[in-house]
Amino acid sequence: MDYEKIKLTFTKVHVYRDADDDGSGNWYFIAKVDGLPVGDHNQIFNAEEGRSIPLPEGQWETTINVRGRELNSNPVIVRFQVKDSDFISDEDLGTTERRLFMDMRQGYFDTRTDRNRYFRVHYKVELMVMGQFGFHPPDAVFATRQHFGSLSCTTVSGTSFMARMEICPILPIPADASLPPRPRIADHLRARNIIRHDGIEVTPNDPINVISNPSAIPILDPADANANTAARIEFTYYHPRTLHFTDDDPRLEWSIDPIQPSVPAGGLVRGDARFLGPGSTPDGRNSRGTRVLVYGTAEGEIRLEMRFQGTLFATYRALVLPVRQIRYRANILNGPGSSQPRSRPGHVRDHIAIANRFLRQMAIELVPDNDATVSNGARPTEFPGIFRIIVSRGVTREIPLGGWTRAIKLNYREGVLNIAYVHSARPTRRGRSGPLGAADSWLANGAGDRIRDTGKPSTSWIRPSGIPPDGDPVEQVMILLDAREEDPARFPRLFGMYITNQSGDPDFPGNQLTYGSTIAHELGHVLNLNHREAGGLDGLNNPPNQNIMHPDEGADLAQDFDIIQTRAVHQSRLVQP
Amino acid sequence: MRYLPLILLLMGLSLLQTRTQPQAAWSFYPKTKEVRMAQTEPSKEEQRALATEALALAKSFRPEDHSLLLQKLKSEEFLKKLDSEKAYEGSSNRLRLRYILQILSKNPSPSARSTLVALTQTPDFYKESARADLLIDACAEVRPAPPEVIKFWNDHSQPDDGFTHLTIDAVVENGSEPAIALLEKKMADMKHDEEDKLSWMRSSILTHRNDLVLLQACERMLGGSLSEDLRLSLVEVLFDYRPEWFPPSVVLKPPDRGQASPQALAQLRKIGEFALNKMNLKEDLRKKVEKTLEEIKEKR
């Protein structure tokens, strides 16, 4: 790497006294840097008092490699000697000497000779940063080295500090206590966290990729890959903030590392992907900046690597998967009188759209069932896949717990997710509110009752995460929900859930998010995911609140699905191959 | 001719009735909704003031205060001001009325009890389903449940009525002998689905399986007319517990067996021995029963 070079260029010599009694002087220069000659000392210049002698470009310059050199004890020595050529003997007009130490200042400098003040020599010092010589800001980093947990950076002005970059796969980001430890930093090296600890307000009109840092990068046709469809991967933390990284910062280089899948089950092979967008190279193999867009080209597993001036700075692991579809039917079950679901067909369509934005993190998409067969008096609405059914009050109101729900069996088709919109369900405790919804029927997962993941970084950064200074991850084992079927002979391949009015007025945008997130959560159960929380039933303990499968957390915080969950859901029998 | 005014009045009423029929066959919202929406909504401050006053009356131990509260609760105008039409569209647990009935139900004074009982005799109060929900639940605290409450509960636990699961929960929570007798009646009622009865077991009975009166009823039910499947399920609910009986988002748990009274444990032992000796239990369930009996033995 060549960023530890300096270039010194002698630019001109100003003449105070030409040392000749008659007419102008005939000067020549003997320049040495670190003892090595620079320029042509045989070249004679006409020296007129009060004027400057410009030195020809490209001849009076030298490049010095200072890599590994301890400049404070072994400085670069710059000598410049001027002589006046004479017929009898040349007169020495003096020598200037400058020592360049570690605080390698850049810019234009000059040095005057002390002797009779004959001349002043001008030169400039440039440092090579990013392969280019030039004058760089004093806080620009020109040297980086990897350390345990951080990167050691040296700035142009010679200051050294520890830098760190993170691309957290969990969004919103958990509190620091739940993340791999960060090496201590001095107060003046404050961090920059741009991504919030709160969730985002997902709406039906948002781009499908609105949630960044997904666990799955979708395989897309290059013609369909764009800023609204590709996976958005972005940094979540860096320090010090004085690095002032920008979205397309050329100092940050991304590459794709196809890795051998940690779990061969599921037929995964080495995945592959391409970057797109203005920062990416024409072949899509590299990109730059703090944020990148990626789309998949081969199913498997990959690691994105971000380098800061050539040194590995941060990594991000993801699965590369085709977007697999789940067909759904949503039935609004209208009872007599006030026993009505509050959601109308247009609301339901919006709830599904919001759920799809959460599910995109796992490369899963809900699509309307296009089969025209209906049962139980279901009547199609203006929206495909959404029906209304008139039912007795007991089917839609205060529906029971601990048994089997009639609501989810109405108008169901085998292998199609059946969503029943009902008025209410019985609360789990007297005086409490009833549930927002519940998954009620599903088949066992193709992976069995457990699924494993051993990649680095670990899924949801469960510690040891593989994020320095954490050690290498250990295998994570997630416990899956077993089948829940009332009577497979009578109701074969029934996948169902119900959604109640408990999420509130569906006309209110905040409630819309709750409805959509509830569908995503309950679908997670239908796809065999257990609850995720510290000490949760899926056996994993991170993140504390941010996973969609958290049992109690609100839709404004619980928004994440992770890699091991994604692995599992793609092996559900509900997911179209 | 002297009947002419009466005939005209009946014709007029008949016309009026025709006009209030739904105009479209496909109507999801009751006509009353439009009528209610036309009323002027009270301000939040007014609603708060009404609720504060009613709560103070509910907390009181003076019969005259409860009498005044009953008057208010019988007034449709008061109720409509207390909770808006919009509030009634949501969960009954979010109504201000809920807190008033809850406070009233926790008030041990006889007049507070009488007020709740009087509401069970006021169909205009509970014609609104959400109010019926709240009253069903509030009556769980009236012990022993008087005949009026039993009738009210019975009326609100008819097949497919949308109240039954809530009512069964209140009945079991009440736990008095008349209430548990109603539970037995419902369990024996063939008009109720077996599925529903299973859910009553796995929710209401499971969460009260330390209650002596309930356990006595369970013993009777096991020897009664329940189907074989439900009898086995009842044994399962009393001696076993599996989270997978429930959807993951709504898991119920049984009470700690260590909190059961010696009498309740003795009753459970009786049931266990009956099940082991008289019922055709699967091996797994048999082991659960035997294990529980062993645990009970240790506690004695």
Side-chain angles (χ1 to χ4, degrees):
Chain A
M1 292 180 288
D2 55 359
Y3 50 77
E4 294 180 4
K5 290 179 180 174
I6 61 172
K7 183 163 81 171
L8 194 142
T9 307
F10 296 101
T11 54
K12 63 181 179 182
V13 179
H14 186 76
V15 180
Y16 292 109
R17 291 181 59 193
D18 59 17
D20 269 359
D21 296 331
D22 185 23
S24 57
N26 296 312
W27 284 11
Y28 66 96
F29 310 126
I30 302 168
K32 286 185 178 173
V33 175
D34 271 352
L36 297 172
V38 179
D40 179 7
H41 66 268
N42 295 316
Q43 195 172 2
I44 303 294
F45 297 92
N46 186 32
E48 293 180 25
E49 286 186 5
R51 293 202 168 180
S52 292
I53 304 166
L55 299 175
E57 277 185 33
Q59 295 179 17
W60 292 85
E61 65 185 35
T62 186
T63 299
I64 305 119
N65 194 336
V66 293
R67 183 210 298 235
R69 179 166 169 176
E70 193 49 69
L71 287 169
N72 281 337
S73 57
N74 183 20
V76 175
I77 299 172
V78 181
R79 279 206 175 93
F80 195 86
Q81 184 179 21
V82 177
K83 287 194 172 184
D84 182 25
S85 174
D86 225 332
F87 291 109
I88 303 165
S89 62
D90 296 345
E91 185 180 2
D92 185 358
L93 301 183
T95 302
T96 67
E97 182 176 300
R98 172 63 63 92
R99 290 164 185 255
L100 304 179
F101 292 100
M102 187 67 190
D103 58 340
M104 189 77 69
R105 287 187 297 156
Q106 306 166 87
Y108 291 93
F109 304 95
D110 55 57
T111 306
R112 296 172 69 155
T113 173
D114 292 330
R115 184 170 177 267
N116 298 323
R117 300 190 175 201
Y118 285 106
F119 67 93
R120 178 196 296 261
V121 61
H122 293 251
Y123 61 91
K124 64 179 179 182
V125 175
E126 299 169 89
L127 300 192
M128 179 180 271
V129 175
M130 301 293 294
Q132 298 286 322
F133 280 115
F135 300 136
H136 302 284
D139 58 355
V141 175
F142 78 99
T144 57
R145 291 181 189 84
Q146 247 187 319
H147 282 258
F148 192 60
S150 291
L151 206 67
S152 158
C153 297
T154 307
T155 64
V156 162
S157 63
T159 307
S160 283
F161 58 81
M162 303 298 277
R164 183 177 175 88
M165 170 74 79
E166 291 174 0
I167 311 164
C168 183
I170 311 161
L171 290 180
I173 306 165
D176 288 355
S178 303
L179 297 172
R182 295 182 182 125
R184 282 189 179 179
I185 52 167
D187 287 345
H188 70 280
L189 299 178
R190 281 177 303 163
R192 183 164 180 235
N193 276 306
I194 62 124
I195 297 186
R196 65 283 178 245
H197 290 286
D198 297 321
I200 54 172
E201 187 75 26
V202 180
T203 73
N205 300 321
D206 283 329
I208 193 72
N209 60 353
V210 62
I211 297 177
S212 305
N213 296 3
S215 49
I217 291 170
I219 294 178
L220 301 173
D221 186 307
D224 297 332
N226 58 51
N228 291 330
T229 56
R232 302 179 185 195
I233 311 292
E234 57 188 347
F235 84 97
T236 54
Y237 171 97
Y238 71 76
H239 72 236
R241 61 172 60 208
T242 50
L243 287 168
H244 297 299
F245 289 127
T246 58
D247 284 1
D248 60 348
D249 202 306
R251 293 172 293 172
L252 299 173
E253 296 168 317
W254 294 71
S255 60
I256 294 164
D257 177 23
I259 50 178
Q260 204 65 41
S262 54
V263 181
L268 292 182
V269 292
R270 291 160 71 92
D272 209 353
R274 295 285 183 276
F275 294 104
L276 75 159
S280 63
T281 53
D283 64 357
R285 301 298 310 177
N286 299 90
S287 191
R288 63 169 190 256
T290 53
R291 294 180 168 83
V292 290
L293 290 164
V294 202
Y295 68 96
T297 55
E299 185 169 352
E301 193 173 329
I302 60 167
R303 188 163 32 238
L304 302 181
E305 295 182 339
M306 179 206 269
R307 287 184 160 71
F308 179 26
Q309 295 182 357
T311 306
L312 190 62
F313 204 20
T315 58
Y316 187 84
R317 184 168 67 101
L319 302 179
V320 181
L321 295 165
V323 178
R324 294 200 166 97
Q325 296 184 328
I326 293 172
R327 285 173 295 154
Y328 75 86
R329 287 181 163 207
N331 301 298
I332 301 173
L333 306 187
N334 296 104
S338 57
S339 307
Q340 310 283 340
R342 298 177 82 175
S343 300
R344 297 188 292 277
H347 292 128
V348 175
R349 178 202 53 187
D350 289 346
H351 302 162
I352 301 280
I354 290 172
N356 271 335
R357 276 136 186 85
F358 288 116
L359 297 168
R360 180 69 166 202
Q361 296 177 79
M362 301 195 290
I364 292 289
E365 181 185 19
L366 287 166
V367 295
D369 179 30
N370 53 14
D371 189 288
T373 316
V374 292
S375 57
N376 304 106
R379 300 173 65 140
T381 66
E382 64 268 45
F383 301 106
I386 302 175
F387 304 83
R388 282 191 186 274
I389 308 177
I390 295 182
V391 295
S392 59
R393 199 193 308 261
V395 175
T396 192
R397 189 174 197 284
E398 297 291 342
I399 60 177
L401 309 178
W404 299 98
T405 310
R406 273 179 285 165
I408 63 153
K409 298 169 202 156
L410 302 179
N411 194 32
Y412 105 90
R413 283 207 324 116
E414 287 184 39
V416 174
L417 175 69
N418 213 37
I419 307 172
Y421 271 73
V422 299
H423 173 273
S424 53
R426 177 192 174 280
T428 49
R429 215 184 289 174
R430 285 179 58 243
R432 292 279 182 88
S433 298
L436 307 179
D440 209 30
S441 183
W442 58 86
L443 275 60
N445 191 281
D449 60 356
R450 279 169 170 71
I451 193 159
R452 294 158 198 279
D453 181 84
T454 52
K456 178 181 175 179
S458 61
T459 187
S460 278
W461 280 9
I462 295 169
R463 299 187 60 195
S465 61
I467 299 294
D470 254 2
D472 282 346
V474 296
E475 181 183 67
Q476 297 298 328
V477 181
M478 186 172 77
I479 301 163
L480 296 171
L481 281 173
D482 203 355
R484 177 179 159 83
E485 293 178 279
E486 179 182 356
D487 185 348
R490 281 172 64 206
F491 306 107
R493 300 185 69 218
L494 169 60
F495 296 88
M497 70 164 82
Y498 60 80
I499 299 293
T500 72
N501 281 345
Q502 199 60 45
S503 292
D505 184 352
D507 284 329
F508 183 66
N511 295 339
Q512 202 178 40
L513 176 66
T514 307
Y515 278 105
S517 158
T518 301
I519 291 174
H521 175 100
E522 299 307 333
L523 177 59
H525 289 316
V526 173
L527 302 174
N528 310 102
L529 300 184
N530 240 312
H531 281 150
R532 172 74 65 85
E533 61 183 325
L537 293 172
D538 75 354
L540 303 179
N541 57 14
N542 209 43
N545 301 85
Q546 290 75 9
N547 196 279
I548 289 185
M549 298 314 293
H550 192 282
D552 309 312
E553 198 54 74
D556 56 341
L557 187 63
Q559 300 194 336
D560 190 63
F561 281 118
D562 72 358
I563 286 179
I564 198 165
Q565 290 172 322
T566 302
R567 270 191 205 290
V569 302
H570 278 260
Q571 294 183 64
S572 158
R573 301 189 199 284
L574 180 59
V575 175
Q576 304 291 313
Chain B
M1 288 298 285
R2 63 182 174 149
Y3 295 109
L4 186 60
L6 183 60
I7 291 166
L8 288 172
L9 178 66
L10 287 172
M11 284 173 66
L13 283 173
S14 163
L15 280 171
L16 193 66
Q17 179 73 18
T18 309
R19 284 195 191 114
T20 55
Q21 292 297 315
Q23 292 178 359
W26 188 251
S27 172
F28 295 107
Y29 296 96
K31 202 72 179 167
T32 49
K33 181 184 171 73
E34 292 162 29
V35 176
R36 287 194 201 120
M37 292 304 280
Q39 292 174 351
T40 313
E41 292 272 321
S43 68
K44 294 266 179 215
E45 289 70 27
E46 194 180 351
Q47 287 178 318
R48 244 180 252 133
L50 289 173
T52 307
E53 185 191 358
L55 279 173
L57 294 173
K59 281 179 191 167
S60 168
F61 286 88
R62 300 190 329 165
E64 55 269 36
D65 285 345
H66 293 145
S67 176
L68 180 59
L69 178 62
L70 182 60
Q71 271 182 36
K72 287 178 181 296
L73 294 176
K74 282 182 168 179
S75 159
E76 192 65 16
E77 190 189 347
F78 170 82
L79 293 168
K80 289 278 166 57
K81 282 184 177 170
L82 186 68
D83 290 298
S84 68
E85 175 62 28
K86 196 83 176 163
Y88 274 98
E89 285 179 15
S91 163
S92 56
N93 272 329
R94 300 195 175 203
L95 297 180
R96 291 186 177 85
L97 180 64
R98 173 198 162 196
Y99 299 101
I100 296 164
L101 293 187
Q102 211 171 41
I103 296 289
L104 196 60
S105 73
K106 301 283 182 197
N107 187 330
S109 71
S111 56
R113 293 278 180 272
S114 301
T115 307
L116 283 175
V117 173
L119 287 174
T120 65
Q121 307 300 298
T122 312
D124 276 350
F125 175 80
Y126 59 75
K127 69 181 178 192
E128 183 73 58
S129 303
R131 287 185 220 148
D133 286 350
L134 297 176
L135 187 57
I136 288 166
D137 188 63
C139 285
E141 303 295 333
V142 183
R143 296 187 183 92
E148 297 91 334
V149 170
I150 295 294
K151 181 179 182 313
F152 172 68
W153 277 338
N154 184 53
D155 292 345
H156 286 85
S157 50
Q158 298 303 313
D160 228 7
D161 66 356
F163 295 105
T164 305
H165 298 288
L166 198 62
T167 303
I168 296 296
D169 213 30
V171 162
V172 177
E173 172 70 21
N174 181 278
S176 64
E177 289 191 354
I180 297 302
L182 178 63
L183 171 71
E184 285 184 72
K185 182 182 152 187
K186 295 293 167 185
M187 289 291 285
D189 187 343
M190 301 297 281
K191 294 199 292 292
H192 284 287
D193 282 350
E194 297 252 314
E195 271 185 10
D196 286 346
K197 290 174 187 172
L198 177 65
S199 80
W200 304 342
M201 288 180 184
R202 288 184 176 175
S203 53
S204 306
I205 294 180
L206 174 83
T207 53
H208 291 82
R209 71 183 190 183
N210 283 350
D211 295 4
L212 176 61
V213 177
L214 177 65
L215 288 169
Q216 288 166 340
C218 288
E219 185 191 5
R220 290 191 293 273
M221 286 190 273
L222 285 175
S225 59
L226 282 184
S227 69
E228 185 60 15
D229 280 353
L230 283 181
R231 290 170 77 232
L232 289 170
S233 294
L234 186 54
V235 173
E236 202 176 39
V237 156
L238 295 178
F239 291 91
D240 194 3
Y241 166 68
R242 285 186 234 148
E244 58 265 29
W245 289 338
F246 307 94
S249 298
V250 285
V251 176
L252 298 176
K253 288 180 182 166
D256 175 10
R257 194 86 75 186
Q259 303 297 315
S261 68
Q263 294 88 340
L265 292 178
Q267 182 62 44
L268 188 64
R269 166 165 287 280
K270 244 174 112 179
I271 295 172
E273 283 165 354
F274 174 86
L276 290 174
N277 297 323
K278 305 281 184 185
M279 292 175 68
N280 187 21
L281 305 181
K282 284 186 181 168
E283 192 53 32
D284 185 40
L285 183 55
R286 176 171 292 278
K287 281 182 182 165
K288 294 278 184 186
V289 175
E290 286 169 349
K291 189 180 168 207
T292 305
L293 292 184
E294 200 59 36
E295 286 167 6
I296 292 172
K297 196 175 169 184
E298 287 168 9
K299 288 185 198 304
R300 287 173 70 188

